């Protein structure tokens, strides 16, 4: 089978019980995630932001990958070449069996903790969440979650891995699932990957800015649509 690029957003984990930011369950204690996931919110109230992330980590630990994550892992095994670019910070793609080498977490990893000043990184010890705001063991500045907040640049190494994959060759199949595609680079990558006549399939119950470029639209939830699509392709 062909060279494949899959791009996922929060919608692919929605059916595992992880709320999307813009969906009806996205709000936390009446607070808008779009405002919480910023360096401004962290500067104003680091403790509040950490509480939100601790709860989200716990929810993700208790969640299981769904049939959509599993279908993507199956597709990866069949493809000639495969890359998943996920905006998700959860670990459900990995727990569904996808190798780290086949995926780029372009918005970071919620289980990483990094220093807000020197960038020192630490993997969060399983199950033992800290109380309050942790401090860097190297420079004593406040530690923050290892994710990309709104308004922050993409991590260089991860962005470069996507670039390398796109530059090496075009893709015969591009699937974009569960993302509002509000970030320009998501649309850019999908269009560049499919530039030589590759199929561009969007799976999302709602219309997005990418919809008009898709060669095929599937207006269904990911856990239903992805297994069917992957069966059909194989
Ligand atoms: P978003 O919350 O902005 O949008 C979610 C998209 O998924 C919408 O277009 C919606 O129509 C679609 N959707 C909802 N349910 C679906 C389903 N069952 N099947 C298919 N599609 C469905 O998410 P986003 O575009 O990924 O951007 C928000 C940012 O927030 C991301 O950058 C990400 O880093 C972060 N985030 C991550 C997680 C996670 O890791 N699971 C969850 C929420 C937010
Ligand atoms: Zn530090």
């Amino acid at each position: 089978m062909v060279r494949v690029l899959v791009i996922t957003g929060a919608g692919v984990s929605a059916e595992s019980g992880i709320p999307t930011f813009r969906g009806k369950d996205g709000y936390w204690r009446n607070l808008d995630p779009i405002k919480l996931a910023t360096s401004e919110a962290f500067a104003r109230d680091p403790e509040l932001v950490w509480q939100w992330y601790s709860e989200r980590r716990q929810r993700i630990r208790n969640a299981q990958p769904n049939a959509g994550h599993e279908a993507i892992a199956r597709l990866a095994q069949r493809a000639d070449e495969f890359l998943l670019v996920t905006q998700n910070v959860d670990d459900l793609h990995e727990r569904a069996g996808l190798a780290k080498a086949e995926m780029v977490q372009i918005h970071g990893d919620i289980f990483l903790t990094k220093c807000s000043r020197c960038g020192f990184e630490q993997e969060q010890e399983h199950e033992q969440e800290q109380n309050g705001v942790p401090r860097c063991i190297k420079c004593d500045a406040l530690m923050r979650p290892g994710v990309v907040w709104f308004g922050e640049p993409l991590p260089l190494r991860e962005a470069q891995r996507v670039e390398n994959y796109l530059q090496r060759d075009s893709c015969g199949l591009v699937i974009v699932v569960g993302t509002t595609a509000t970030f320009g680079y998501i649309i850019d990558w999908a269009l560049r990957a499919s530039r030589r006549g590759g199929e561009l399939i969007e799976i999302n119950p709602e219309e997005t800015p990418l919809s008009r470029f898709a060669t095929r639209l599937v207006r269904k939830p990911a856990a239903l649509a992805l297994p069917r699509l992957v069966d059909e392709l194989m």
Side-chain angles (χ1 to χ4, degrees), residues 115-120 136-141 143:
C115 176
S116 58
R117 183 194 292 148
C118 76
F120 172 71
C136 179
I137 57 167
K138 303 270 182 207
C139 79
D140 205 41
M143 296 292 276

Side-chain angles (χ1 to χ4, degrees), residues 25-233:
D25 300 322
Y27 271 61
W28 176 74
R29 298 187 189 166
N30 280 326
L31 298 170
D32 182 352
I34 308 285
K35 291 181 187 142
L36 274 174
T38 63
S39 53
E40 289 77 17
F42 185 71
R44 203 182 314 119
D45 196 343
E47 199 151 348
L48 178 80
V49 172
W50 262 118
Q51 275 172 17
W52 181 49
Y53 277 95
S54 296
E55 286 191 25
R56 289 177 59 212
R57 281 175 170 176
Q58 205 48 52
R59 187 187 273 257
I60 292 165
R61 287 196 184 103
N62 293 334
Q64 299 302 325
N66 65 52
H69 300 102
E70 281 158 10
I72 292 170
R74 268 193 291 137
L75 182 62
Q77 292 187 329
R78 288 300 188 86
D80 284 343
E81 257 196 292
F82 182 91
L83 187 70
L84 168 73
V85 177
T86 184
Q87 297 165 83
N88 294 345
V89 297
D90 66 43
D91 58 357
L92 297 180
H93 282 298
E94 199 185 338
R95 278 157 59 197
L98 196 68
K100 281 219 179 213
E102 291 176 319
M103 104 182 152
V104 174
Q105 279 190 293
I106 198 67
H107 289 166
D109 174 349
I110 197 170
F111 294 110
L112 277 182
T113 299
K114 70 179 179 193
C115 176
S116 58
R117 183 194 292 148
C118 76
F120 172 71
E121 282 189 1
Q122 246 177 342
E123 182 102 30
Q124 185 63 33
E125 287 297 321
H126 213 70
E127 299 305 333
Q128 61 177 70
E129 286 300 337
Q130 77 279 342
N131 287 310
V133 181
R135 284 188 176 270
C136 179
I137 57 167
K138 303 270 182 207
C139 79
D140 205 41
L142 296 183
M143 296 292 276
R144 53 164 283 179
V147 302
V148 178
W149 281 331
F150 290 104
E152 293 186 325
L154 294 179
L156 274 181
R157 212 178 344 145
E158 279 72 16
Q160 195 57 53
R161 284 183 60 208
V162 181
E163 283 303 321
N164 291 346
Y165 190 72
L166 293 181
Q167 276 170 22
R168 216 158 49 236
D169 201 353
S170 58
C171 295
L173 174 63
V174 179
I175 303 175
V176 181
V177 41
T179 177
T180 46
T182 34
F183 305 114
Y185 46 85
I186 298 297
I187 296 182
D188 178 54
W189 289 336
L191 294 184
R192 276 168 59 205
S194 58
R195 65 191 178 268
R196 295 211 191 91
E199 198 167 4
L200 174 51
I201 304 176
E202 178 178 69
I203 300 176
N204 197 315
E206 316 251 338
E207 189 174 343
T208 79
L210 186 77
S211 301
R212 67 191 185 92
F213 301 109
T215 56
R216 185 165 158 192
L217 293 168
V218 185
R219 294 265 173 259
K220 292 201 169 65
L224 185 74
L226 270 168
R228 284 185 190 170
L229 178 68
V230 169
D231 283 348
E232 177 196 318
L233 292 167

